[in-house]
Every structure is written in structure tokens, then in C-alpha cells.
Amino acid sequence: MEKDTSVADRLARMKVNYMKEGMRTSVEAILLVQEHNHPHILLLQIGNTFCKLPGGRLKPGENEIEGLKRKLCSKLAVNSPSFPPNWQVGECVAVWWRPNFETVMYPYCPPHITKPKECKKLFIVHLSEREYFAVPRNLKLLAVPLFELYDNVQRYGPVISTIPQQLSRFQFNMVSS
């Protein structure tokens, strides 16, 4: 369930939390799947327009990998002993910075910013051949092909639209069924 009804509400909540806890640290998962012999990224869709990667804010002092696993369990894990989650968190492929309480994020911390408001890290999460997900009612789980994400800032924003470039250093082995 989303806590904020608008971007302005989210930024206002971020400002309040910043005053209490300092810089926000968040982690997000790049979940790769194969469809039609092409890599796709799993995104959570809110409403009909806004998409995001699964993940979220870390608790103060929380380990990034353990925090990402906690967030994935809360957002996507099936609550059943028959399907225990086994999140294999791989390497960090991108770090984004929010210098102010605005929507703009950069893939670097601008040199004149001494107190950034958020640091967001994107990790590859390796999935087994067969996974089961439980998606909250207010969200949809979409498999979006890399070619649709590429340079599509208008639809997916700067963070998600640059994932194909971040992943270009990896070789994908497609599995034939």
C-alpha cells in the first residue's frame, strides 16, 4: 500500500523524515525475467501510469542487502511455508542521488551538495527458474522489455529508463524451453 497520495505528499513526508533521521537510503531490485527470448524487468505499476522497481527505504543503520530482502518479502513474497522466498541479491549496478526535496535524481552527487536528501541503490536480484509472487491489490506486476525502457524517460523516469545502459556490461544467456 502506498503511503502518499501525491508526489508533493511524498516529498513533504521525506522532509519530515530527513529532519528526524538524516539522509534517506533506499534500495531497489532489478528483477530480470525472460519472455519471448528477450530480457524483461519486473516493475510494479501503481494506477495506470506510474511504475516503480520493488524496494524501498532502509531503516536507520540497516544493511543494504538485508533491507532489500526485507522489502522484497513485504512487497512480493507469497506468505506460505510451501514457497519460501530465496532472494539472491547480486551486485549494485547504479547509485542515484536526490540533492534536494524535489523529484529530480542524479546518477552522481553534485559537487556543491554537502547534504544530499536521498541515496538510492539499484541491485540485480537473481531469480530461480520458477518464482511465485504475491502482489498487493493496489499494484500490478509488469514484465517490461529492455527495449521499451531504453531512453523512455517520459514514461518510466530517469532511473528506470537507464537500466538497459546499466545492464549493458552483462552478457545474458537466454534459456530455451
Side-chain angles (χ1 to χ4, degrees):
M1 193 75 174
E2 290 300 307
K3 294 177 183 167
D4 306 306
T5 56
S6 71
V7 173
D9 290 346
R10 181 173 182 268
L11 293 172
R13 184 171 53 88
M14 186 183 289
K15 193 172 196 171
V16 169
N17 286 341
Y18 180 84
M19 297 306 172
K20 287 192 285 187
E21 301 168 0
M23 183 181 72
R24 172 189 176 110
T25 304
S26 56
V27 289
E28 294 182 347
I30 298 173
L31 301 167
L32 281 165
V33 296
Q34 174 184 325
E35 263 190 57
H36 311 293
N37 277 338
H38 190 75
H40 288 57
I41 302 291
L42 294 181
L43 297 175
L44 293 169
Q45 185 180 32
I46 304 164
N48 291 324
T49 56
F50 183 73
C51 290
K52 68 179 194 170
L53 293 165
R57 188 177 85 182
L58 295 177
K59 295 175 182 174
E62 185 175 26
N63 174 281
E64 293 168 349
I65 305 298
E66 295 308 312
L68 182 55
K69 288 179 180 180
R70 177 181 59 81
K71 284 301 198 177
L72 289 173
C73 284
S74 72
K75 299 249 198 291
L76 294 174
V78 175
N79 192 8
S80 166
S82 306
F83 304 107
N86 184 22
W87 309 112
Q88 299 294 318
V89 178
E91 67 181 279
C92 178
V93 297
V95 179
W96 287 80
W97 297 89
R98 183 183 312 276
N100 302 303
F101 297 112
E102 298 169 356
T103 57
V104 178
M105 293 192 82
Y106 298 96
Y108 58 89
C109 188
H112 66 284
I113 301 296
T114 57
K115 294 183 179 180
K117 307 311 181 236
E118 180 178 10
C119 176
K120 178 186 293 197
K121 294 186 179 183
L122 277 56
F123 290 86
I124 290 181
V125 176
H126 304 281
L127 299 174
S128 62
E129 191 173 332
R130 189 178 250 25
E131 287 286 345
Y132 296 92
F133 299 111
V135 181
R137 283 193 183 135
N138 64 323
L139 302 174
K140 284 191 240 175
L141 188 63
L142 304 177
V144 181
L146 288 181
F147 64 80
E148 185 178 324
L149 295 176
Y150 177 72
D151 205 26
N152 198 345
V153 178
Q154 289 295 97
R155 171 107 169 92
Y156 298 104
V159 175
I160 293 174
S161 67
T162 59
I163 289 174
Q165 290 96 315
Q166 304 297 338
L167 298 179
S168 67
R169 63 191 170 117
F170 297 100
Q171 178 69 44
F172 296 112
N173 297 317
M174 298 295 126
V175 179
S176 300
S177 49

